[in-house]
Amino acid sequence: MFFVTPAYAEEAPAAATGTDAHAAPAAGEVHTETGVAEGEHARGPFPPFDSTTYASQLLWLVITFGVFYLLMQKVIAPRIGAILDQRHTRLSQDLEEAGRLKAEADAAVQTYEGELAAARAKSNAIGAAARDAAKLKAEEDRRAVEASLSEKIKAAEVRIADIKAKAFADVGTIAEETAAAVVDQLIGGTAAKADVAAAVAAAKKEA
């Protein structure tokens, strides 16, 4: 801010003839360069509060405000607007990137959950198939063992029947021989084989 300071006194007239114009001024004279009387300071009002300088102060205030307004409008405001736009664009890009990453993460989670569910279902199916196969194999083995045992039992029954038939045949022969010996001991004679066989057969029937 520039202020115009009026001079408080005009330049003193030159000294009388015979006196040097550059000689020291007399007491009470005003120095033309500073506007302050020699030997004392000026006693005028403070320049910003001097009513005689209001017009110039208002002029410089308007000029300064205009320059500041133009500076704000042409330089500072565009730069601030560009910075705000850049930050807004960066923020929007960051939000879009975050949304995209979130969507990708959600899709990955859904894919993982789907694969996990499919793996569980497959493992359950494999386990059920294994259990069914094991049950079927056990049932087949059981049937095979039962069939083998049945055949062995039948063979044993046939063998037992043969042994019984043979034993009964031998018992009949032994009984006939024993009966013939008993008759021989009791009556002292030999009985006919046909009679002894008939008697043994009758005894078997009664038994």
Side-chain angles (χ1 to χ4, degrees):
M1 184 73 68
F2 298 95
F3 299 96
V4 178
T5 304
Y8 292 97
E10 296 181 354
E11 183 179 358
T17 305
T19 304
D20 189 359
H22 296 285
E29 291 182 353
V30 178
H31 197 281
T32 57
E33 295 180 357
T34 61
V36 180
E38 184 68 18
E40 64 179 350
H41 296 288
R43 296 183 179 180
F46 186 60
F49 301 107
D50 189 358
S51 60
T52 60
T53 62
Y54 282 171
S56 62
Q57 292 183 38
L58 290 175
L59 176 63
W60 283 108
L61 178 62
V62 170
I63 293 173
T64 304
F65 180 78
V67 171
F68 180 73
Y69 178 78
L70 291 176
L71 183 65
M72 285 289 296
Q73 185 178 13
K74 301 296 184 180
V75 179
I76 299 176
R79 290 185 179 180
I80 294 176
I83 293 173
L84 293 177
D85 292 339
Q86 184 179 3
R87 291 186 177 180
H88 179 71
T89 303
R90 182 66 179 273
L91 182 60
S92 299
Q93 292 176 353
D94 292 341
L95 291 175
E96 291 178 358
E97 183 69 14
R100 184 181 65 81
L101 294 176
K102 183 178 181 300
E104 291 179 356
D106 293 339
V109 169
Q110 292 179 357
T111 303
Y112 171 76
E113 291 179 351
E115 292 179 354
L116 182 60
R120 287 178 178 174
K122 186 175 181 180
S123 63
N124 293 332
I126 292 173
R131 287 193 299 269
D132 295 339
K135 289 180 180 180
L136 182 60
K137 184 67 170 57
E139 184 67 20
E140 291 178 354
D141 293 341
R142 184 183 64 81
R143 291 178 180 178
V145 170
E146 289 180 353
S148 178
L149 291 176
S150 179
E151 291 177 358
K152 289 180 179 180
I153 291 172
K154 289 181 180 179
E157 290 177 350
V158 172
R159 188 175 179 182
I160 291 171
D162 294 339
I163 293 172
K164 283 183 177 181
K166 187 177 180 180
F168 285 146
D170 293 338
V171 168
T173 303
I174 294 171
E176 290 177 359
E177 292 178 354
T178 304
V182 170
V183 170
D184 185 41
Q185 291 291 330
L186 290 177
I187 62 175
T190 302
K193 290 182 179 182
D195 295 334
V196 174
V200 171
K204 284 181 180 182
K205 290 178 180 181
E206 291 179 359

